């Protein structure tokens, strides 16, 4: 442990370039996706990614509630991201807070730009993301789960949306930060990619990086998204094969 002021911070990067969980800088945490994990929803997916456990359920296109949000020329996309009280070390107060409102908004906007919303005027496409266990990168795990759930619901989209956070830890650019890296690192940058066009539909950043580091982070994130995309597609292939539904894994 090193120390910064009064705060004890873990050493995030060993002299040989290994991270606290032994990963390389460009290595993802193990990722497992089950498409169609819930029977009641129109589409669903369960994602286990490192120590994150996230369920997504999708309903729609269906009637808009509340009614005044209805749009005559397109469907609206409403995402509700929620963290269970038991999902984090210090019990999270149940209910809406600013953080979950912000995450719900950026995820709704990301999906609104890939779903063919104009095909379903006056309807709502509702995405529920429930974080059951959190260890950083839950909004990305939520986007991955919701993408697979939307495809499972048969909602037409330009593409699936792989998503990952890149950041800066111990002065180096690293893929897929875990909690200690997110808390004590220098920067955290979640992103979501449309793989076929290379367009980013979600990009946020907390902390500081130079322009050159930002460029390298984007490259590393795009590379991570492309690996995640393969696991997402395989989860859907398995779901729609006879006897499918097996979990898809990477890095396990
Ligand atoms: O989860 P994500 O990285 O998308 O969002 P964040 O706001 O950067 O949160 C990082 C991590 O902090 C979460 O994944 C949780 O592990 C943790 N956290 C927590 O312990 N208690 C909260 N109320 C919020 C977040």
């Amino acid at each position: 442990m090193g120390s910064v002021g009064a705060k004890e911070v873990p050493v995030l990067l060993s002299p040989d370039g290994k991270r606290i969980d032994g990963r390389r800088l460009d290595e993802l945490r193990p990722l497992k996706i089950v498409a169609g994990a819930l029977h009641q929803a129109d589409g669903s997916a369960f994602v286990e990614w490192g120590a994150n456990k996230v369920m997504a359920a999708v309903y729609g296109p269906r009637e808009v509630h509340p009614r005044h949000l209805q749009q005559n020329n397109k469907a609206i996309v409403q995402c509700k991201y929620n963290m269970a009280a038991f999902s984090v070390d210090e019990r999270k107060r149940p209910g809406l807070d600013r953080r979950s409102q912000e995450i719900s908004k950026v995820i709704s906007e990301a999906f609104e730009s890939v779903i063919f919303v104009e095909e379903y005027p006056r309807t709502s496409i509702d995405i529920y993301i429930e974080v059951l266990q959190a260890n950083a990168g839950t909004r990305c795990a939520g986007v991955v789960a919701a993408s697979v759930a939307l495809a499972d619901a048969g909602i037409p989209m330009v593409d699936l949306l792989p998503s990952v956070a890149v950041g800066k830890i111990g002065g180096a650019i690293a893929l897929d930060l875990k909690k200690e890296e997110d808390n004590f690192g220098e920067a955290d940058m979640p992103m979501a990619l449309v793989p076929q066009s290379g367009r980013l539909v979600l990009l946020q950043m907390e902390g500081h990086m130079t322009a050159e580091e930002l460029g390298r982070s984007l490259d590393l994130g795009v590379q991570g998204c492309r690996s995640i995309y393969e696991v997402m597609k395989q989860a859907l292939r398995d779901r729609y094969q006879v006897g499918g539904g097996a979990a898809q894994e990477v890095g396990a």
Side-chain angles (χ1 to χ4, degrees), residues 68-222:
H68 68 86
L69 295 177
Q70 183 174 298
Q71 302 229 356
N72 284 334
N73 57 347
K74 61 176 189 177
I76 59 166
V77 179
Q78 304 192 87
C79 174
K80 285 211 174 85
Y81 164 102
N82 180 56
M83 250 179 156
F86 52 79
S87 66
V88 287
D89 296 338
E90 256 178 59
R91 179 181 179 276
K92 188 207 161 275
R93 265 187 77 196
L96 260 191
D97 53 19
R98 285 176 67 98
R99 177 178 171 276
S100 23
Q101 277 178 318
E102 170 220 312
I103 296 177
S104 300
K105 180 172 189 289
V106 294
I107 295 180
S108 299
E109 288 170 359
F111 281 113
E112 201 175 328
S113 71
V114 288
I115 294 172
F116 289 107
V117 285
E118 58 291 342
E119 308 232 334
Y120 304 99
R122 293 176 295 280
T123 67
S124 177
I125 295 167
D126 301 328
I127 304 169
Y128 296 90
I129 295 171
E130 294 290 329
V131 178
L132 306 177
Q133 192 169 283
N135 192 284
T138 60
R139 76 195 64 200
C140 301
V143 170
V144 168
S147 282
V148 174
L150 283 160
D152 183 42
I155 293 180
M157 291 179 282
V158 171
D159 208 341
L160 294 168
L161 274 189
S163 174
V164 74
V166 184
K168 186 175 168 188
I169 54 165
I173 301 305
L175 183 64
D176 187 19
L177 305 191
K178 75 191 297 269
K179 183 144 181 274
E180 293 82 351
E181 297 174 329
D182 179 304
N183 285 4
F184 299 109
E186 296 97 290
D188 172 33
M189 189 173 78
M191 62 174 86
L193 176 80
V194 183
Q196 290 190 18
S197 63
R199 182 164 59 103
L200 291 173
V201 290
L202 185 156
L203 186 64
Q204 300 183 281
M205 186 157 88
E206 207 179 311
H208 299 278
M209 316 185 169
T210 64
E212 186 270 334
E213 287 167 342
L214 178 65
R216 279 195 288 129
S217 299
L218 288 169
D219 289 347
L220 187 58
V222 167

